[in-house]
Amino acid sequence: MARYDFASDNTAPAAPEAIDALIKANSGFTPGYGADAISRRAADLIRETLDADAEVRFVASGTAANSIALATLVQPFEAVLAHEHAHIATDETGAPTFFGHGLGITRLPGASGRIDPDSLTAPLAARDQAHWQSPAALSITNATEYGAVYAAAHIQALTAPVKAKGYGVHLDGARLANAAASGFDLKAIKTLGVDILVFGGTKAGMTPTEAIVLFDKALARRFDARLKQSGQLPSKGRFYAAPFIGMLEDGAILRHAAHANAMAQRLAAAQPFKVTHPVEANAVFVDMDDERLARLHATGWFVYRFIDGSVRLMCSWATTPEAVNELAAVLRSLA
């Protein structure tokens, strides 16, 4: 039987705190479509965590959350500036363009998934004209697709010229908890010019749920109608919100993220292959040829070759030291 422990943090089970919160929410009758007390409590906890007066909504997936967020910021004839390997650019099957009725994505370079600030200069300076999609928003991912973590100052360097143009900013926080466990201050987000944040739940150890956080509350006008049209206004909204209560009330989300990050550090140190990106969150990327990857798969461990050609080893809240030791031993035998 294949082992998927390190294939993705999506392959892990849900954390007990998330499940317990779901069980508690499964009692009695409540209003629907997010108008219930459980959804309000979860939204309050997110506001408290971010120290921000923001509107909060809950949806089923990161793809939906990102796509709806970008469609809120960008007109169909405009574009989003994003890293060339960002999830919205490579792994969402055109969903941002679909939800945004044709919006474009302008891909920018940068090491380990972090946008190079200098790469903003040309697209921001280009004059508007009718034959291309001028930028209207910036999308940043923290932690990045390669497990690197932006410092607040780096994000500020990216958002400042974008906000100076009057454009919007979206922060994809699918692994925001891992970034926070690595030292990124969640309460700094409100000062960085972010208009819409996707606060990831699924990869953090919850059942499928993501929170859309509208720092710019003016964007909340008719936002629920946008969610409904997109199939993302669930009638039993409490079951999307409840896991955030279980994970945020006593800090479980950060404890679990810190554990995942620590397991990545342990794995990076114990395995013999060249590490190709900084291990700052819960991912380890290594340089491995096809023959050794095939041999690894043959032993029962399944992992992916990633966009840049490296092999990704992803840890989660549920990764155990014993599993790290097992995989590291196999990797040493392959090397």
Side-chain angles (χ1 to χ4, degrees):
M1 180 181 293
R3 292 279 299 271
Y4 287 86
D5 303 39
F6 299 92
S8 171
D9 35 11
N10 286 323
T11 64
E17 295 88 349
I19 296 298
D20 288 347
L22 275 174
I23 292 170
K24 290 177 183 177
N26 192 35
S27 177
F29 294 82
T30 70
Y33 301 101
D36 58 278
I38 293 163
S39 296
R40 289 196 298 273
R41 173 60 178 156
D44 284 342
L45 284 167
I46 288 174
R47 284 187 279 265
E48 180 182 321
T49 299
L50 301 172
D51 190 26
D53 180 20
E55 291 283 335
V56 180
R57 302 292 189 273
F58 300 95
V59 300
S61 74
T63 294
N66 287 334
S67 301
I68 292 167
L70 294 175
T72 301
L73 293 175
V74 175
Q75 297 289 336
F77 47 84
E78 296 174 327
V80 178
L81 301 170
H83 191 275
E84 60 188 341
H85 292 164
H87 207 268
I88 63 167
T90 65
D91 212 22
E92 291 181 350
T93 322
T97 299
F98 176 77
F99 279 77
H101 302 287
L103 69 80
I105 297 177
T106 301
R107 304 184 183 203
L108 305 175
S112 299
R114 288 184 284 228
I115 296 170
D116 180 352
D118 291 339
S119 70
L120 291 174
T121 303
L124 291 178
R127 66 180 181 86
D128 290 346
Q129 50 100 348
H131 300 281
W132 78 306
Q133 290 171 292
S134 298
L138 170 70
S139 179
I140 300 169
T141 307
N142 206 21
T144 75
E145 299 300 324
Y146 293 100
V149 175
Y150 280 99
H154 193 168
I155 293 179
Q156 187 72 62
L158 295 170
T159 61
V162 171
K163 300 302 288 187
K165 299 281 287 188
Y167 300 159
V169 175
H170 159 253
L171 178 57
D172 178 354
R175 295 185 177 93
L176 188 65
N178 300 100
S182 186
F184 178 68
D185 183 6
L186 297 181
K187 294 182 178 180
I189 296 174
K190 66 182 180 182
T191 70
L192 299 177
V194 175
D195 297 293
I196 303 183
L197 162 71
V198 176
F199 194 144
T202 309
K203 290 180 172 66
M206 303 184 208
T207 49
T209 180
E210 311 289 312
I212 300 176
V213 182
L214 304 170
F215 287 93
D216 180 355
K217 296 178 73 173
L219 297 174
R221 179 176 179 269
R222 297 180 179 169
F223 194 77
D224 288 335
R226 183 185 291 275
L227 291 176
K228 181 66 172 178
Q229 188 182 65
S230 305
Q232 292 295 318
L233 189 68
S235 58
K236 294 186 177 182
R238 58 176 157 163
F239 295 106
Y240 287 81
F244 276 93
I245 297 177
M247 295 291 277
L248 290 176
E249 271 191 331
D250 72 345
I253 192 169
L254 290 182
R255 289 198 305 274
H256 287 316
H259 170 79
N261 291 3
M263 291 299 97
Q265 292 286 343
R266 181 187 184 104
L267 179 57
Q271 65 80 40
F273 290 90
K274 178 185 176 183
V275 175
T276 58
H277 295 283
V279 183
E280 297 176 353
N282 59 320
V284 181
F285 290 81
V286 298
D287 185 7
M288 185 184 299
D289 59 46
D290 287 341
E291 187 268 336
R292 285 181 173 81
L293 179 59
R295 287 168 57 196
L296 176 61
H297 288 164
T299 68
W301 293 96
F302 184 79
V303 294
Y304 293 97
R305 186 172 299 285
F306 209 62
I307 306 165
D308 69 335
S310 60
V311 170
R312 187 184 74 172
L313 312 171
M314 182 68 72
C315 298
S316 74
W317 77 271
T319 301
T320 66
E322 291 76 18
V324 170
N325 293 344
E326 286 182 54
L327 178 60
V330 172
L331 292 172
R332 288 194 298 270
S333 72
L334 296 178

